[in-house]
PDB file of all heavy atoms in Angstrom:
ATOM      1  N   ILE A 628       3.524 -10.118  -5.208  1.00 89.00           N
ATOM      2  CA  ILE A 628       4.319  -9.569  -6.316  1.00 89.00           C
ATOM      3  C   ILE A 628       4.491  -8.063  -6.143  1.00 89.00           C
ATOM      4  O   ILE A 628       5.588  -7.521  -6.318  1.00 89.00           O
ATOM      5  CB  ILE A 628       3.663  -9.897  -7.673  1.00 89.00           C
ATOM      6  CG1 ILE A 628       3.694 -11.402  -7.925  1.00 89.00           C
ATOM      7  CG2 ILE A 628       4.345  -9.133  -8.806  1.00 89.00           C
ATOM      8  CD1 ILE A 628       2.831 -11.850  -9.085  1.00 89.00           C
ATOM      9  N   MET A 629       3.419  -7.375  -5.795  1.00 86.00           N
ATOM     10  CA  MET A 629       3.489  -5.924  -5.636  1.00 86.00           C
ATOM     11  C   MET A 629       4.390  -5.536  -4.466  1.00 86.00           C
ATOM     12  O   MET A 629       5.121  -4.549  -4.545  1.00 86.00           O
ATOM     13  CB  MET A 629       2.085  -5.354  -5.497  1.00 86.00           C
ATOM     14  CG  MET A 629       1.319  -5.415  -6.816  1.00 86.00           C
ATOM     15  SD  MET A 629      -0.449  -5.128  -6.689  1.00 86.00           S
ATOM     16  CE  MET A 629      -0.507  -3.565  -5.896  1.00 86.00           C
ATOM     17  N   ALA A 630       4.360  -6.310  -3.403  1.00 86.00           N
ATOM     18  CA  ALA A 630       5.253  -6.038  -2.270  1.00 86.00           C
ATOM     19  C   ALA A 630       6.708  -6.225  -2.690  1.00 86.00           C
ATOM     20  O   ALA A 630       7.577  -5.428  -2.329  1.00 86.00           O
ATOM     21  CB  ALA A 630       4.909  -6.949  -1.092  1.00 86.00           C
ATOM     22  N   GLN A 631       6.977  -7.274  -3.467  1.00 84.00           N
ATOM     23  CA  GLN A 631       8.335  -7.495  -3.978  1.00 84.00           C
ATOM     24  C   GLN A 631       8.766  -6.347  -4.878  1.00 84.00           C
ATOM     25  O   GLN A 631       9.890  -5.872  -4.797  1.00 84.00           O
ATOM     26  CB  GLN A 631       8.397  -8.801  -4.774  1.00 84.00           C
ATOM     27  CG  GLN A 631       8.574 -10.026  -3.936  1.00 84.00           C
ATOM     28  CD  GLN A 631       8.675 -11.262  -4.828  1.00 84.00           C
ATOM     29  OE1 GLN A 631       8.009 -11.370  -5.852  1.00 84.00           O
ATOM     30  NE2 GLN A 631       9.512 -12.197  -4.436  1.00 84.00           N
ATOM     31  N   ASN A 632       7.849  -5.915  -5.748  1.00 77.00           N
ATOM     32  CA  ASN A 632       8.159  -4.810  -6.659  1.00 77.00           C
ATOM     33  C   ASN A 632       8.457  -3.529  -5.877  1.00 77.00           C
ATOM     34  O   ASN A 632       9.347  -2.767  -6.242  1.00 77.00           O
ATOM     35  CB  ASN A 632       7.019  -4.574  -7.644  1.00 77.00           C
ATOM     36  CG  ASN A 632       6.918  -5.673  -8.679  1.00 77.00           C
ATOM     37  OD1 ASN A 632       7.805  -6.507  -8.808  1.00 77.00           O
ATOM     38  ND2 ASN A 632       5.821  -5.693  -9.403  1.00 77.00           N
ATOM     39  N   ASP A 633       7.696  -3.292  -4.810  1.00 72.00           N
ATOM     40  CA  ASP A 633       7.927  -2.105  -3.980  1.00 72.00           C
ATOM     41  C   ASP A 633       9.304  -2.163  -3.331  1.00 72.00           C
ATOM     42  O   ASP A 633      10.000  -1.159  -3.233  1.00 72.00           O
ATOM     43  CB  ASP A 633       6.856  -1.978  -2.893  1.00 72.00           C
ATOM     44  CG  ASP A 633       5.504  -1.546  -3.458  1.00 72.00           C
ATOM     45  OD1 ASP A 633       5.463  -1.111  -4.631  1.00 72.00           O
ATOM     46  OD2 ASP A 633       4.499  -1.666  -2.732  1.00 72.00           O
ATOM     47  N   GLN A 634       9.703  -3.349  -2.893  1.00 66.00           N
ATOM     48  CA  GLN A 634      11.003  -3.503  -2.229  1.00 66.00           C
ATOM     49  C   GLN A 634      12.159  -3.368  -3.202  1.00 66.00           C
ATOM     50  O   GLN A 634      13.225  -2.865  -2.857  1.00 66.00           O
ATOM     51  CB  GLN A 634      11.085  -4.858  -1.523  1.00 66.00           C
ATOM     52  CG  GLN A 634      10.202  -4.940  -0.296  1.00 66.00           C
ATOM     53  CD  GLN A 634      10.192  -6.337   0.305  1.00 66.00           C
ATOM     54  OE1 GLN A 634      10.776  -7.268  -0.234  1.00 66.00           O
ATOM     55  NE2 GLN A 634       9.519  -6.482   1.437  1.00 66.00           N
ATOM     56  N   THR A 635      11.950  -3.816  -4.433  1.00 59.00           N
ATOM     57  CA  THR A 635      13.042  -3.779  -5.408  1.00 59.00           C
ATOM     58  C   THR A 635      12.992  -2.531  -6.282  1.00 59.00           C
ATOM     59  O   THR A 635      13.870  -2.331  -7.121  1.00 59.00           O
ATOM     60  CB  THR A 635      13.009  -5.025  -6.321  1.00 59.00           C
ATOM     61  OG1 THR A 635      11.763  -5.037  -7.034  1.00 59.00           O
ATOM     62  CG2 THR A 635      13.170  -6.291  -5.518  1.00 59.00           C
ATOM     63  N   GLY A 636      11.937  -1.725  -6.104  1.00 54.00           N
ATOM     64  CA  GLY A 636      11.823  -0.500  -6.891  1.00 54.00           C
ATOM     65  C   GLY A 636      11.390  -0.731  -8.318  1.00 54.00           C
ATOM     66  O   GLY A 636      11.622   0.090  -9.189  1.00 54.00           O
ATOM     67  N   SER A 637      10.714  -1.858  -8.566  1.00 48.00           N
ATOM     68  CA  SER A 637      10.227  -2.133  -9.926  1.00 48.00           C
ATOM     69  C   SER A 637       9.171  -1.112 -10.299  1.00 48.00           C
ATOM     70  O   SER A 637       8.450  -0.600  -9.460  1.00 48.00           O
ATOM     71  CB  SER A 637       9.627  -3.540 -10.004  1.00 48.00           C
ATOM     72  OG  SER A 637      10.597  -4.498  -9.720  1.00 48.00           O
ATOM     73  N   SER A 638       9.080  -0.837 -11.578  1.00 42.00           N
ATOM     74  CA  SER A 638       8.120   0.164 -12.033  1.00 42.00           C
ATOM     75  C   SER A 638       6.723  -0.411 -12.070  1.00 42.00           C
ATOM     76  O   SER A 638       6.515  -1.605 -12.034  1.00 42.00           O
ATOM     77  CB  SER A 638       8.505   0.651 -13.427  1.00 42.00           C
ATOM     78  OG  SER A 638       8.455  -0.420 -14.341  1.00 42.00           O
ATOM     79  N   GLY A 639       5.774   0.484 -12.163  1.00 41.00           N
ATOM     80  CA  GLY A 639       4.376   0.074 -12.275  1.00 41.00           C
ATOM     81  C   GLY A 639       3.619   0.401 -11.018  1.00 41.00           C
ATOM     82  O   GLY A 639       3.816  -0.219  -9.998  1.00 41.00           O
ATOM     83  N   ALA A 640       2.760   1.402 -11.096  1.00 36.00           N
ATOM     84  CA  ALA A 640       1.987   1.794  -9.922  1.00 36.00           C
ATOM     85  C   ALA A 640       0.902   0.773  -9.667  1.00 36.00           C
ATOM     86  O   ALA A 640       0.217   0.345 -10.593  1.00 36.00           O
ATOM     87  CB  ALA A 640       1.359   3.163 -10.163  1.00 36.00           C
ATOM     88  N   PRO A 641       0.734   0.341  -8.438  1.00 37.00           N
ATOM     89  CA  PRO A 641      -0.287  -0.661  -8.149  1.00 37.00           C
ATOM     90  C   PRO A 641      -1.681  -0.100  -8.324  1.00 37.00           C
ATOM     91  O   PRO A 641      -1.948   1.046  -7.993  1.00 37.00           O
ATOM     92  CB  PRO A 641      -0.031  -1.023  -6.679  1.00 37.00           C
ATOM     93  CG  PRO A 641       0.718   0.118  -6.122  1.00 37.00           C
ATOM     94  CD  PRO A 641       1.474   0.733  -7.246  1.00 37.00           C
ATOM     95  N   LEU A 642      -2.546  -0.905  -8.858  1.00 41.00           N
ATOM     96  CA  LEU A 642      -3.954  -0.546  -8.947  1.00 41.00           C
ATOM     97  C   LEU A 642      -4.669  -1.043  -7.708  1.00 41.00           C
ATOM     98  O   LEU A 642      -4.221  -1.972  -7.044  1.00 41.00           O
ATOM     99  CB  LEU A 642      -4.607  -1.207 -10.169  1.00 41.00           C
ATOM    100  CG  LEU A 642      -4.313  -0.572 -11.516  1.00 41.00           C
ATOM    101  CD1 LEU A 642      -4.963  -1.399 -12.592  1.00 41.00           C
ATOM    102  CD2 LEU A 642      -4.807   0.847 -11.572  1.00 41.00           C
ATOM    103  N   ARG A 643      -5.803  -0.431  -7.421  1.00 43.00           N
ATOM    104  CA  ARG A 643      -6.595  -0.844  -6.299  1.00 43.00           C
ATOM    105  C   ARG A 643      -6.974  -2.304  -6.426  1.00 43.00           C
ATOM    106  O   ARG A 643      -7.138  -2.812  -7.534  1.00 43.00           O
ATOM    107  CB  ARG A 643      -7.871   0.019  -6.313  1.00 43.00           C
ATOM    108  CG  ARG A 643      -8.603   0.039  -5.012  1.00 43.00           C
ATOM    109  CD  ARG A 643      -9.716   1.047  -5.144  1.00 43.00           C
ATOM    110  NE  ARG A 643     -10.780   0.611  -4.250  1.00 43.00           N
ATOM    111  CZ  ARG A 643     -12.021   0.938  -4.439  1.00 43.00           C
ATOM    112  NH1 ARG A 643     -12.384   1.670  -5.437  1.00 43.00           N
ATOM    113  NH2 ARG A 643     -12.928   0.520  -3.590  1.00 43.00           N
TER     114      ARG A 643
END
Side-chain angles (χ1 to χ4, degrees):
I628 294 168
M629 289 166 56
Q631 277 182 323
N632 288 349
D633 287 347
Q634 289 174 356
T635 61
S637 298
S638 62
L642 283 177
R643 198 173 151 205

